[in-house]
Amino acid sequence: MASTSATATASWDGGSSPMNASYGKLMMWFFLLSDAFTFSALLITYGLVRSSHAAYDGLVDAFTFSQTYWPIPEKVFEAVPFLHGMELPLVFVGIMTFVLIMSSVTMVLAVEAGHRMDRKAVEKWMLWTLLGGITFLSCQAWEWAHFIHGTDAGSTLADGTKFFGANLSFNQYGPPDFAAFFFFITGFHGFHVFSGVCLNFLIYYNTVTGVYERRGHYEMVEKVGLYWHFVDLVWVFVFTFFYLV
Amino acid sequence: MAHHHAEPQVTVLPPDTAKIKKLWMTALILLVITVVEFIVAFTIPHEYKDARVWIFVIMTIVKAAYIVGEFMHLKYETKFLMWSILIPIIFIVWMLVAFVYEGMAIGVAR
């Protein structure tokens, strides 16, 4: 109080927040850092296993599914709902990326509205964010269903039998590890999206019932917003390393 | 008389148009980079695998920087907080390089 020192070291002596962020926000940041390590471990393990498998080195147009090499992702993910039989590589996953980026924008607009204590605007943008999250999850459900059931042609095994789709021990697209990583990485990300949708709903509910207005600030919107952007961030990496590379 | 809990007096501030415009610009940049990624995926042949991978990795890092910096607001936090989050990422890079090299070695050994 009496101290007039305004140096950076003095701010660590107590009574102030040297990082200029609340406890809750800091802990959200450090949780997200640890979550980044978890996702990195998954993606890096995928990198290790993929680089230890042979890559397809023939002509792209002549590509066929085989157990002996890792598939080209764009040859696997080329189906779009309602357009059965058409080859549209990566189009559906592109739509999913668009949906998730848009829901990140609406989330950050909700945070902005919260700073201004604009309850109606927070409600509006939280609803859009929820819609984006639910749309993404629905798209992923379709993608999984298609991946599990497989294509019309399937792939022919060494003994002449046909195999369609994928399970945890076998799949028509490539080595067993390919489907295992697809399920684990997109599944773990999808579960994060699901948790995010639940948290977003909680925020929306509390906004509508006026909890944050009575509290005098909308910091919870900001904290859950950080989590929601992180989910978008992880998808950017999954999109690149699982679908593009 | 029951105590009546008065509703709080809330002053709603007008929208910060400059800030909102910047957020939409960030979204536009992210979408444009994603579109460029698609163009690269279908124009640069698969024979140039290394070039493709590097282009994708760089564009992904640019997108990540925009999401973390603008949407998550990290660029505008105190420097101490920013580096507390960014410096530990070194471990992820280390792990990535180590494991991918290990994977290639396993592939050769098979």
Side-chain angles (χ1 to χ4, degrees):
Chain A
M1 284 179 289
S3 169
T4 50
S5 169
T7 59
T9 43
S11 64
W12 291 90
D13 293 344
S16 65
S17 304
M19 290 195 190
N20 203 17
S22 71
Y23 176 79
K25 231 171 105 175
L26 275 184
M27 291 307 113
M28 180 52 94
W29 267 113
F30 290 121
F31 161 70
L32 293 180
L33 185 63
S34 75
D35 219 17
F37 276 94
T38 310
F39 269 110
S40 303
L42 284 174
L43 279 170
I44 290 169
T45 312
Y46 158 78
L48 177 138
V49 172
R50 183 172 173 176
S51 56
S52 73
H53 278 81
Y56 175 73
D57 56 3
L59 288 168
V60 176
D61 293 333
F63 178 84
T64 49
F65 294 136
S66 163
Q67 304 287 310
T68 52
Y69 47 77
W70 202 266
I72 299 174
E74 69 190 49
K75 295 288 178 186
V76 178
F77 306 103
E78 55 169 29
V80 175
F82 311 117
L83 299 171
H84 185 82
M86 285 171 76
E87 271 188 38
L88 299 161
L90 303 181
V91 167
F92 192 52
V93 77
I95 295 168
M96 287 165 73
T97 306
F98 175 76
V99 168
L100 211 55
I101 290 177
M102 288 316 284
S103 86
S104 229
V105 187
T106 55
M107 183 81 220
V108 82
L109 289 169
V111 174
E112 193 273 338
H115 285 310
R116 301 185 284 107
M117 299 298 290
D118 191 341
R119 178 165 149 184
K120 282 276 166 269
V122 176
E123 284 172 15
K124 177 179 80 177
W125 292 120
M126 283 315 295
L127 267 185
W128 279 110
T129 310
L130 275 169
L131 185 72
I134 292 165
T135 308
F136 182 87
L137 283 175
S138 314
C139 291
Q140 208 170 29
W142 187 89
E143 172 129 307
W144 271 49
H146 180 79
F147 189 84
I148 292 167
H149 289 117
T151 59
D152 288 339
S155 69
T156 312
L157 303 182
D159 61 358
T161 55
K162 286 268 186 187
F163 189 84
F164 299 95
N167 56 44
L168 281 177
S169 50
F170 212 72
N171 69 83
Q172 69 165 77
Y173 313 104
D177 285 342
F178 174 71
F181 276 110
F182 174 80
F183 288 130
F184 214 101
I185 293 176
T186 66
F188 199 59
H189 175 265
F191 188 69
H192 272 73
V193 179
F194 175 73
S195 319
V197 168
C198 294
L199 290 171
N200 283 344
F201 181 76
L202 191 74
I203 296 300
Y204 174 69
Y205 181 84
N206 283 348
T207 306
V208 171
T209 52
V211 171
Y212 303 133
E213 198 161 89
R214 283 191 294 278
R215 194 176 286 172
H217 60 81
Y218 284 77
E219 204 191 64
M220 275 309 288
V221 182
E222 222 174 312
K223 282 182 260 189
V224 172
L226 283 177
Y227 178 80
W228 190 248
H229 298 311
F230 177 76
V231 168
D232 185 26
L233 178 71
V234 170
W235 181 253
V236 164
F237 283 89
V238 173
F239 175 65
T240 301
F241 293 112
F242 214 96
Y243 293 92
L244 284 179
V245 170
Chain B
M1 282 287 277
H3 177 71
H4 180 70
H5 193 80
E7 279 297 308
Q9 290 296 305
V10 177
T11 5
V12 177
L13 301 170
D16 186 345
T17 41
K19 198 166 148 192
I20 290 171
K21 204 177 159 197
K22 200 170 176 190
L23 294 174
W24 283 108
M25 268 311 288
T26 310
L28 188 69
I29 291 168
L30 291 175
L31 292 173
V32 167
I33 297 174
T34 308
V35 169
V36 173
E37 279 182 327
F38 266 86
I39 294 169
V40 169
F42 295 110
T43 50
I44 298 184
H46 281 264
E47 287 77 58
Y48 304 102
K49 194 172 190 322
D50 288 348
R52 285 168 58 100
V53 170
W54 278 111
I55 293 170
F56 287 143
V57 167
I58 290 165
M59 286 199 283
T60 303
I61 291 170
V62 173
K63 282 207 287 191
Y66 272 105
I67 293 172
V68 177
E70 298 290 341
F71 285 176
M72 296 171 92
H73 214 255
L74 192 61
K75 218 169 110 183
Y76 310 100
E77 303 290 352
T78 58
K79 287 282 168 282
F80 197 94
L81 174 54
M82 196 179 94
W83 291 115
S84 307
I85 301 299
L86 292 184
I87 289 173
I89 303 295
I90 291 170
F91 290 110
I92 295 177
V93 177
W94 175 16
M95 191 176 168
L96 174 75
V97 173
F99 272 50
V100 170
Y101 269 89
E102 192 69 22
M104 288 171 184
I106 293 171
V108 172
R110 264 185 188 158

mmCIF file of all heavy atoms in Angstrom, chain A residues 64-105:
data_model
loop_
_atom_site.group_PDB
_atom_site.id
_atom_site.type_symbol
_atom_site.label_atom_id
_atom_site.label_comp_id
_atom_site.label_asym_id
_atom_site.label_seq_id
_atom_site.Cartn_x
_atom_site.Cartn_y
_atom_site.Cartn_z
ATOM 1 N N THR A 64 -4.620 -48.770 -55.117
ATOM 2 C CA THR A 64 -5.626 -49.690 -54.575
ATOM 3 C C THR A 64 -5.315 -49.941 -53.106
ATOM 4 O O THR A 64 -4.165 -49.822 -52.683
ATOM 5 C CB THR A 64 -5.609 -51.057 -55.307
ATOM 6 O OG1 THR A 64 -4.253 -51.506 -55.369
ATOM 7 C CG2 THR A 64 -6.218 -50.963 -56.686
ATOM 8 N N PHE A 65 -6.359 -50.285 -52.343
ATOM 9 C CA PHE A 65 -6.148 -50.566 -50.924
ATOM 10 C C PHE A 65 -5.348 -51.851 -50.767
ATOM 11 O O PHE A 65 -5.558 -52.820 -51.499
ATOM 12 C CB PHE A 65 -7.495 -50.732 -50.209
ATOM 13 C CG PHE A 65 -8.299 -49.461 -50.168
ATOM 14 C CD1 PHE A 65 -9.660 -49.474 -50.449
ATOM 15 C CD2 PHE A 65 -7.699 -48.256 -49.836
ATOM 16 C CE1 PHE A 65 -10.414 -48.310 -50.390
ATOM 17 C CE2 PHE A 65 -8.438 -47.087 -49.778
ATOM 18 C CZ PHE A 65 -9.801 -47.116 -50.057
ATOM 19 N N SER A 66 -4.409 -51.830 -49.806
ATOM 20 C CA SER A 66 -3.629 -53.040 -49.546
ATOM 21 C C SER A 66 -3.145 -53.039 -48.104
ATOM 22 O O SER A 66 -2.951 -51.982 -47.502
ATOM 23 C CB SER A 66 -2.434 -53.093 -50.498
ATOM 24 O OG SER A 66 -1.477 -54.011 -50.008
ATOM 25 N N GLN A 67 -2.950 -54.256 -47.566
ATOM 26 C CA GLN A 67 -2.440 -54.370 -46.198
ATOM 27 C C GLN A 67 -0.945 -54.073 -46.129
ATOM 28 O O GLN A 67 -0.397 -53.895 -45.054
ATOM 29 C CB GLN A 67 -2.667 -55.799 -45.678
ATOM 30 C CG GLN A 67 -4.096 -56.271 -45.725
ATOM 31 C CD GLN A 67 -4.939 -55.609 -44.663
ATOM 32 O OE1 GLN A 67 -4.563 -55.585 -43.509
ATOM 33 N NE2 GLN A 67 -6.075 -55.065 -45.041
ATOM 34 N N THR A 68 -0.282 -54.039 -47.287
ATOM 35 C CA THR A 68 1.182 -53.986 -47.273
ATOM 36 C C THR A 68 1.747 -52.571 -47.177
ATOM 37 O O THR A 68 2.919 -52.416 -46.888
ATOM 38 C CB THR A 68 1.765 -54.663 -48.526
ATOM 39 O OG1 THR A 68 1.125 -54.091 -49.672
ATOM 40 C CG2 THR A 68 1.545 -56.161 -48.507
ATOM 41 N N TYR A 69 0.962 -51.542 -47.459
ATOM 42 C CA TYR A 69 1.466 -50.179 -47.305
ATOM 43 C C TYR A 69 0.385 -49.276 -46.716
ATOM 44 O O TYR A 69 -0.796 -49.615 -46.716
ATOM 45 C CB TYR A 69 1.956 -49.610 -48.646
ATOM 46 C CG TYR A 69 1.012 -49.819 -49.806
ATOM 47 C CD1 TYR A 69 -0.129 -49.036 -49.942
ATOM 48 C CD2 TYR A 69 1.259 -50.800 -50.759
ATOM 49 C CE1 TYR A 69 -0.997 -49.218 -50.984
ATOM 50 C CE2 TYR A 69 0.380 -50.996 -51.817
ATOM 51 C CZ TYR A 69 -0.732 -50.204 -51.931
ATOM 52 O OH TYR A 69 -1.616 -50.387 -52.960
ATOM 53 N N TRP A 70 0.833 -48.108 -46.217
ATOM 54 C CA TRP A 70 -0.084 -47.146 -45.602
ATOM 55 C C TRP A 70 -0.899 -46.482 -46.714
ATOM 56 O O TRP A 70 -0.331 -46.076 -47.727
ATOM 57 C CB TRP A 70 0.740 -46.097 -44.838
ATOM 58 C CG TRP A 70 -0.037 -45.397 -43.774
ATOM 59 C CD1 TRP A 70 -0.691 -44.210 -43.899
ATOM 60 C CD2 TRP A 70 -0.235 -45.830 -42.436
ATOM 61 N NE1 TRP A 70 -1.304 -43.883 -42.710
ATOM 62 C CE2 TRP A 70 -1.035 -44.861 -41.794
ATOM 63 C CE3 TRP A 70 0.175 -46.960 -41.702
ATOM 64 C CZ2 TRP A 70 -1.428 -44.978 -40.468
ATOM 65 C CZ3 TRP A 70 -0.221 -47.072 -40.392
ATOM 66 C CH2 TRP A 70 -1.009 -46.104 -39.771
ATOM 67 N N PRO A 71 -2.212 -46.352 -46.572
ATOM 68 C CA PRO A 71 -3.011 -45.761 -47.668
ATOM 69 C C PRO A 71 -2.797 -44.258 -47.815
ATOM 70 O O PRO A 71 -2.361 -43.593 -46.875
ATOM 71 C CB PRO A 71 -4.447 -46.059 -47.246
ATOM 72 C CG PRO A 71 -4.389 -46.189 -45.769
ATOM 73 C CD PRO A 71 -3.041 -46.743 -45.438
ATOM 74 N N ILE A 72 -3.100 -43.734 -49.008
ATOM 75 C CA ILE A 72 -3.122 -42.281 -49.217
ATOM 76 C C ILE A 72 -4.457 -41.799 -48.639
ATOM 77 O O ILE A 72 -5.513 -42.235 -49.089
ATOM 78 C CB ILE A 72 -3.029 -41.933 -50.718
ATOM 79 C CG1 ILE A 72 -1.714 -42.453 -51.309
ATOM 80 C CG2 ILE A 72 -3.147 -40.431 -50.924
ATOM 81 C CD1 ILE A 72 -1.614 -42.270 -52.815
ATOM 82 N N PRO A 73 -4.431 -40.880 -47.653
ATOM 83 C CA PRO A 73 -5.688 -40.512 -46.963
ATOM 84 C C PRO A 73 -6.794 -40.034 -47.903
ATOM 85 O O PRO A 73 -7.963 -40.364 -47.706
ATOM 86 C CB PRO A 73 -5.258 -39.395 -46.012
ATOM 87 C CG PRO A 73 -3.796 -39.546 -45.845
ATOM 88 C CD PRO A 73 -3.266 -40.175 -47.083
ATOM 89 N N GLU A 74 -6.413 -39.256 -48.940
ATOM 90 C CA GLU A 74 -7.459 -38.700 -49.808
ATOM 91 C C GLU A 74 -8.186 -39.792 -50.590
ATOM 92 O O GLU A 74 -9.276 -39.558 -51.116
ATOM 93 C CB GLU A 74 -6.872 -37.648 -50.755
ATOM 94 C CG GLU A 74 -5.946 -38.229 -51.805
ATOM 95 C CD GLU A 74 -5.198 -37.154 -52.580
ATOM 96 O OE1 GLU A 74 -4.637 -36.269 -51.919
ATOM 97 O OE2 GLU A 74 -5.183 -37.222 -53.809
ATOM 98 N N LYS A 75 -7.572 -41.004 -50.663
ATOM 99 C CA LYS A 75 -8.244 -42.120 -51.330
ATOM 100 C C LYS A 75 -9.202 -42.829 -50.379
ATOM 101 O O LYS A 75 -10.055 -43.594 -50.800
ATOM 102 C CB LYS A 75 -7.203 -43.114 -51.868
ATOM 103 C CG LYS A 75 -6.321 -42.556 -52.957
ATOM 104 C CD LYS A 75 -7.105 -42.405 -54.246
ATOM 105 C CE LYS A 75 -6.226 -41.791 -55.323
ATOM 106 N NZ LYS A 75 -7.001 -41.503 -56.539
ATOM 107 N N VAL A 76 -9.019 -42.604 -49.095
ATOM 108 C CA VAL A 76 -9.884 -43.244 -48.102
ATOM 109 C C VAL A 76 -11.083 -42.342 -47.798
ATOM 110 O O VAL A 76 -12.230 -42.787 -47.799
ATOM 111 C CB VAL A 76 -9.096 -43.521 -46.799
ATOM 112 C CG1 VAL A 76 -10.011 -44.154 -45.751
ATOM 113 C CG2 VAL A 76 -7.900 -44.412 -47.074
ATOM 114 N N PHE A 77 -10.775 -41.044 -47.561
ATOM 115 C CA PHE A 77 -11.824 -40.112 -47.138
ATOM 116 C C PHE A 77 -12.330 -39.330 -48.339
ATOM 117 O O PHE A 77 -11.887 -38.211 -48.597
ATOM 118 C CB PHE A 77 -11.276 -39.184 -46.050
ATOM 119 C CG PHE A 77 -10.666 -39.930 -44.898
ATOM 120 C CD1 PHE A 77 -9.292 -40.032 -44.756
ATOM 121 C CD2 PHE A 77 -11.489 -40.564 -43.964
ATOM 122 C CE1 PHE A 77 -8.738 -40.740 -43.702
ATOM 123 C CE2 PHE A 77 -10.936 -41.268 -42.907
ATOM 124 C CZ PHE A 77 -9.554 -41.360 -42.776
ATOM 125 N N GLU A 78 -13.228 -39.931 -49.088
ATOM 126 C CA GLU A 78 -13.704 -39.269 -50.304
ATOM 127 C C GLU A 78 -15.214 -39.371 -50.449
ATOM 128 O O GLU A 78 -15.761 -39.082 -51.504
ATOM 129 C CB GLU A 78 -13.014 -39.871 -51.528
ATOM 130 C CG GLU A 78 -13.200 -41.370 -51.602
ATOM 131 C CD GLU A 78 -12.768 -41.956 -52.931
ATOM 132 O OE1 GLU A 78 -11.873 -41.390 -53.559
ATOM 133 O OE2 GLU A 78 -13.358 -42.970 -53.319
ATOM 134 N N ALA A 79 -15.892 -39.778 -49.378
ATOM 135 C CA ALA A 79 -17.352 -39.909 -49.454
ATOM 136 C C ALA A 79 -18.026 -38.692 -48.819
ATOM 137 O O ALA A 79 -17.507 -38.097 -47.884
ATOM 138 C CB ALA A 79 -17.793 -41.181 -48.748
ATOM 139 N N VAL A 80 -19.178 -38.322 -49.378
ATOM 140 C CA VAL A 80 -19.966 -37.207 -48.850
ATOM 141 C C VAL A 80 -21.409 -37.693 -48.726
ATOM 142 O O VAL A 80 -21.896 -38.382 -49.611
ATOM 143 C CB VAL A 80 -19.876 -35.978 -49.790
ATOM 144 C CG1 VAL A 80 -20.786 -34.860 -49.314
ATOM 145 C CG2 VAL A 80 -18.441 -35.479 -49.896
ATOM 146 N N PRO A 81 -22.096 -37.356 -47.627
ATOM 147 C CA PRO A 81 -23.485 -37.807 -47.471
ATOM 148 C C PRO A 81 -24.364 -37.382 -48.645
ATOM 149 O O PRO A 81 -24.183 -36.284 -49.178
ATOM 150 C CB PRO A 81 -23.948 -37.099 -46.186
ATOM 151 C CG PRO A 81 -22.728 -36.691 -45.487
ATOM 152 C CD PRO A 81 -21.639 -36.563 -46.498
ATOM 153 N N PHE A 82 -25.282 -38.224 -49.027
ATOM 154 C CA PHE A 82 -26.274 -38.005 -50.097
ATOM 155 C C PHE A 82 -25.650 -38.045 -51.491
ATOM 156 O O PHE A 82 -26.347 -37.888 -52.479
ATOM 157 C CB PHE A 82 -27.030 -36.676 -49.931
ATOM 158 C CG PHE A 82 -27.560 -36.472 -48.537
ATOM 159 C CD1 PHE A 82 -27.133 -35.427 -47.738
ATOM 160 C CD2 PHE A 82 -28.493 -37.367 -48.010
ATOM 161 C CE1 PHE A 82 -27.613 -35.263 -46.455
ATOM 162 C CE2 PHE A 82 -28.988 -37.204 -46.729
ATOM 163 C CZ PHE A 82 -28.547 -36.158 -45.950
ATOM 164 N N LEU A 83 -24.337 -38.210 -51.577
ATOM 165 C CA LEU A 83 -23.695 -38.261 -52.892
ATOM 166 C C LEU A 83 -23.001 -39.618 -53.025
ATOM 167 O O LEU A 83 -21.800 -39.709 -53.221
ATOM 168 C CB LEU A 83 -22.689 -37.119 -53.058
ATOM 169 C CG LEU A 83 -23.289 -35.709 -52.975
ATOM 170 C CD1 LEU A 83 -22.202 -34.662 -52.931
ATOM 171 C CD2 LEU A 83 -24.228 -35.451 -54.163
ATOM 172 N N HIS A 84 -23.787 -40.680 -52.917
ATOM 173 C CA HIS A 84 -23.244 -42.019 -52.902
ATOM 174 C C HIS A 84 -22.566 -42.363 -54.226
ATOM 175 O O HIS A 84 -23.105 -42.084 -55.292
ATOM 176 C CB HIS A 84 -24.364 -43.025 -52.626
ATOM 177 C CG HIS A 84 -23.864 -44.425 -52.470
ATOM 178 N ND1 HIS A 84 -23.340 -44.896 -51.292
ATOM 179 C CD2 HIS A 84 -23.756 -45.431 -53.359
ATOM 180 C CE1 HIS A 84 -22.959 -46.142 -51.458
ATOM 181 N NE2 HIS A 84 -23.190 -46.496 -52.693
ATOM 182 N N GLY A 85 -21.365 -42.945 -54.120
ATOM 183 C CA GLY A 85 -20.668 -43.410 -55.321
ATOM 184 C C GLY A 85 -19.819 -42.357 -55.995
ATOM 185 O O GLY A 85 -19.094 -42.653 -56.938
ATOM 186 N N MET A 86 -19.902 -41.105 -55.527
ATOM 187 C CA MET A 86 -19.070 -40.068 -56.146
ATOM 188 C C MET A 86 -17.745 -39.950 -55.405
ATOM 189 O O MET A 86 -17.718 -40.015 -54.179
ATOM 190 C CB MET A 86 -19.794 -38.714 -56.123
ATOM 191 C CG MET A 86 -20.899 -38.618 -57.152
ATOM 192 S SD MET A 86 -21.882 -37.140 -56.906
ATOM 193 C CE MET A 86 -20.776 -35.904 -57.563
ATOM 194 N N GLU A 87 -16.679 -39.756 -56.168
ATOM 195 C CA GLU A 87 -15.362 -39.581 -55.558
ATOM 196 C C GLU A 87 -15.120 -38.101 -55.289
ATOM 197 O O GLU A 87 -14.865 -37.335 -56.203
ATOM 198 C CB GLU A 87 -14.274 -40.095 -56.497
ATOM 199 C CG GLU A 87 -13.948 -41.563 -56.305
ATOM 200 C CD GLU A 87 -12.735 -41.984 -57.107
ATOM 201 O OE1 GLU A 87 -11.782 -41.190 -57.202
ATOM 202 O OE2 GLU A 87 -12.777 -43.100 -57.652
ATOM 203 N N LEU A 88 -15.236 -37.692 -54.046
ATOM 204 C CA LEU A 88 -15.018 -36.289 -53.680
ATOM 205 C C LEU A 88 -13.991 -36.235 -52.557
ATOM 206 O O LEU A 88 -14.336 -36.063 -51.385
ATOM 207 C CB LEU A 88 -16.333 -35.656 -53.237
ATOM 208 C CG LEU A 88 -17.436 -35.634 -54.283
ATOM 209 C CD1 LEU A 88 -18.793 -35.422 -53.649
ATOM 210 C CD2 LEU A 88 -17.167 -34.547 -55.313
ATOM 211 N N PRO A 89 -12.698 -36.397 -52.911
ATOM 212 C CA PRO A 89 -11.684 -36.520 -51.863
ATOM 213 C C PRO A 89 -11.621 -35.312 -50.935
ATOM 214 O O PRO A 89 -11.564 -34.168 -51.392
ATOM 215 C CB PRO A 89 -10.373 -36.684 -52.649
ATOM 216 C CG PRO A 89 -10.670 -36.255 -54.031
ATOM 217 C CD PRO A 89 -12.134 -36.478 -54.255
ATOM 218 N N LEU A 90 -11.672 -35.590 -49.656
ATOM 219 C CA LEU A 90 -11.489 -34.585 -48.591
ATOM 220 C C LEU A 90 -12.547 -33.480 -48.556
ATOM 221 O O LEU A 90 -12.430 -32.540 -47.777
ATOM 222 C CB LEU A 90 -10.094 -33.944 -48.663
ATOM 223 C CG LEU A 90 -8.898 -34.895 -48.593
ATOM 224 C CD1 LEU A 90 -7.606 -34.090 -48.654
ATOM 225 C CD2 LEU A 90 -8.908 -35.739 -47.338
ATOM 226 N N VAL A 91 -13.598 -33.586 -49.369
ATOM 227 C CA VAL A 91 -14.602 -32.524 -49.379
ATOM 228 C C VAL A 91 -15.356 -32.480 -48.047
ATOM 229 O O VAL A 91 -15.518 -31.418 -47.440
ATOM 230 C CB VAL A 91 -15.592 -32.710 -50.555
ATOM 231 C CG1 VAL A 91 -16.806 -31.812 -50.389
ATOM 232 C CG2 VAL A 91 -14.891 -32.409 -51.865
ATOM 233 N N PHE A 92 -15.784 -33.663 -47.580
ATOM 234 C CA PHE A 92 -16.581 -33.687 -46.354
ATOM 235 C C PHE A 92 -15.765 -33.198 -45.156
ATOM 236 O O PHE A 92 -16.250 -32.420 -44.323
ATOM 237 C CB PHE A 92 -17.109 -35.102 -46.111
ATOM 238 C CG PHE A 92 -18.159 -35.164 -45.049
ATOM 239 C CD1 PHE A 92 -19.262 -34.329 -45.092
ATOM 240 C CD2 PHE A 92 -18.055 -36.059 -43.998
ATOM 241 C CE1 PHE A 92 -20.237 -34.373 -44.112
ATOM 242 C CE2 PHE A 92 -19.026 -36.113 -43.013
ATOM 243 C CZ PHE A 92 -20.110 -35.273 -43.071
ATOM 244 N N VAL A 93 -14.502 -33.630 -45.094
ATOM 245 C CA VAL A 93 -13.662 -33.208 -43.970
ATOM 246 C C VAL A 93 -13.377 -31.701 -44.070
ATOM 247 O O VAL A 93 -13.212 -31.017 -43.051
ATOM 248 C CB VAL A 93 -12.388 -34.078 -43.884
ATOM 249 C CG1 VAL A 93 -11.374 -33.690 -44.920
ATOM 250 C CG2 VAL A 93 -11.786 -34.023 -42.513
ATOM 251 N N GLY A 94 -13.362 -31.184 -45.299
ATOM 252 C CA GLY A 94 -13.221 -29.736 -45.482
ATOM 253 C C GLY A 94 -14.422 -28.992 -44.916
ATOM 254 O O GLY A 94 -14.266 -27.956 -44.262
ATOM 255 N N ILE A 95 -15.620 -29.541 -45.143
ATOM 256 C CA ILE A 95 -16.839 -28.935 -44.586
ATOM 257 C C ILE A 95 -16.780 -28.951 -43.051
ATOM 258 O O ILE A 95 -17.100 -27.962 -42.386
ATOM 259 C CB ILE A 95 -18.095 -29.678 -45.101
ATOM 260 C CG1 ILE A 95 -18.226 -29.497 -46.613
ATOM 261 C CG2 ILE A 95 -19.353 -29.192 -44.383
ATOM 262 C CD1 ILE A 95 -19.241 -30.407 -47.267
ATOM 263 N N MET A 96 -16.312 -30.077 -42.507
ATOM 264 C CA MET A 96 -16.214 -30.178 -41.046
ATOM 265 C C MET A 96 -15.245 -29.135 -40.489
ATOM 266 O O MET A 96 -15.506 -28.519 -39.443
ATOM 267 C CB MET A 96 -15.750 -31.586 -40.644
ATOM 268 C CG MET A 96 -16.813 -32.647 -40.807
ATOM 269 S SD MET A 96 -16.143 -34.308 -40.751
ATOM 270 C CE MET A 96 -15.764 -34.484 -39.033
ATOM 271 N N THR A 97 -14.129 -28.918 -41.197
ATOM 272 C CA THR A 97 -13.159 -27.905 -40.776
ATOM 273 C C THR A 97 -13.798 -26.530 -40.780
ATOM 274 O O THR A 97 -13.638 -25.745 -39.833
ATOM 275 C CB THR A 97 -11.937 -27.925 -41.722
ATOM 276 O OG1 THR A 97 -11.429 -29.254 -41.768
ATOM 277 C CG2 THR A 97 -10.852 -26.985 -41.253
ATOM 278 N N PHE A 98 -14.538 -26.232 -41.857
ATOM 279 C CA PHE A 98 -15.230 -24.954 -41.973
ATOM 280 C C PHE A 98 -16.193 -24.753 -40.798
ATOM 281 O O PHE A 98 -16.205 -23.688 -40.164
ATOM 282 C CB PHE A 98 -15.982 -24.910 -43.309
ATOM 283 C CG PHE A 98 -16.818 -23.688 -43.489
ATOM 284 C CD1 PHE A 98 -16.238 -22.460 -43.798
ATOM 285 C CD2 PHE A 98 -18.200 -23.741 -43.345
ATOM 286 C CE1 PHE A 98 -17.012 -21.330 -43.950
ATOM 287 C CE2 PHE A 98 -18.979 -22.617 -43.497
ATOM 288 C CZ PHE A 98 -18.392 -21.406 -43.802
ATOM 289 N N VAL A 99 -16.971 -25.778 -40.489
ATOM 290 C CA VAL A 99 -17.953 -25.691 -39.397
ATOM 291 C C VAL A 99 -17.262 -25.381 -38.072
ATOM 292 O O VAL A 99 -17.690 -24.497 -37.315
ATOM 293 C CB VAL A 99 -18.757 -27.012 -39.286
ATOM 294 C CG1 VAL A 99 -19.554 -27.061 -37.990
ATOM 295 C CG2 VAL A 99 -19.679 -27.176 -40.475
ATOM 296 N N LEU A 100 -16.145 -26.056 -37.813
ATOM 297 C CA LEU A 100 -15.464 -25.867 -36.536
ATOM 298 C C LEU A 100 -14.830 -24.479 -36.436
ATOM 299 O O LEU A 100 -14.870 -23.841 -35.379
ATOM 300 C CB LEU A 100 -14.418 -26.962 -36.329
ATOM 301 C CG LEU A 100 -14.178 -27.352 -34.870
ATOM 302 C CD1 LEU A 100 -15.466 -27.750 -34.180
ATOM 303 C CD2 LEU A 100 -13.169 -28.468 -34.761
ATOM 304 N N ILE A 101 -14.238 -23.999 -37.541
ATOM 305 C CA ILE A 101 -13.646 -22.648 -37.516
ATOM 306 C C ILE A 101 -14.749 -21.617 -37.276
ATOM 307 O O ILE A 101 -14.596 -20.705 -36.466
ATOM 308 C CB ILE A 101 -12.874 -22.347 -38.821
ATOM 309 C CG1 ILE A 101 -11.600 -23.195 -38.888
ATOM 310 C CG2 ILE A 101 -12.490 -20.865 -38.904
ATOM 311 C CD1 ILE A 101 -10.807 -23.037 -40.163
ATOM 312 N N MET A 102 -15.895 -21.780 -37.965
ATOM 313 C CA MET A 102 -16.994 -20.825 -37.781
ATOM 314 C C MET A 102 -17.494 -20.822 -36.342
ATOM 315 O O MET A 102 -17.816 -19.771 -35.784
ATOM 316 C CB MET A 102 -18.154 -21.146 -38.738
ATOM 317 C CG MET A 102 -17.875 -20.825 -40.186
ATOM 318 S SD MET A 102 -17.079 -19.237 -40.465
ATOM 319 C CE MET A 102 -18.446 -18.133 -40.222
ATOM 320 N N SER A 103 -17.562 -21.998 -35.723
ATOM 321 C CA SER A 103 -18.071 -22.034 -34.343
ATOM 322 C C SER A 103 -17.048 -21.410 -33.386
ATOM 323 O O SER A 103 -17.406 -20.923 -32.314
ATOM 324 C CB SER A 103 -18.430 -23.454 -33.931
ATOM 325 O OG SER A 103 -17.315 -24.129 -33.441
ATOM 326 N N SER A 104 -15.764 -21.415 -33.795
ATOM 327 C CA SER A 104 -14.753 -20.728 -32.987
ATOM 328 C C SER A 104 -14.959 -19.211 -33.063
ATOM 329 O O SER A 104 -14.783 -18.508 -32.064
ATOM 330 C CB SER A 104 -13.359 -21.080 -33.509
ATOM 331 O OG SER A 104 -12.514 -21.476 -32.476
ATOM 332 N N VAL A 105 -15.319 -18.721 -34.252
ATOM 333 C CA VAL A 105 -15.569 -17.280 -34.409
ATOM 334 C C VAL A 105 -16.761 -16.872 -33.568
ATOM 335 O O VAL A 105 -16.716 -15.866 -32.842
ATOM 336 C CB VAL A 105 -15.837 -16.918 -35.889
ATOM 337 C CG1 VAL A 105 -15.918 -15.410 -36.049
ATOM 338 C CG2 VAL A 105 -14.766 -17.463 -36.778
#
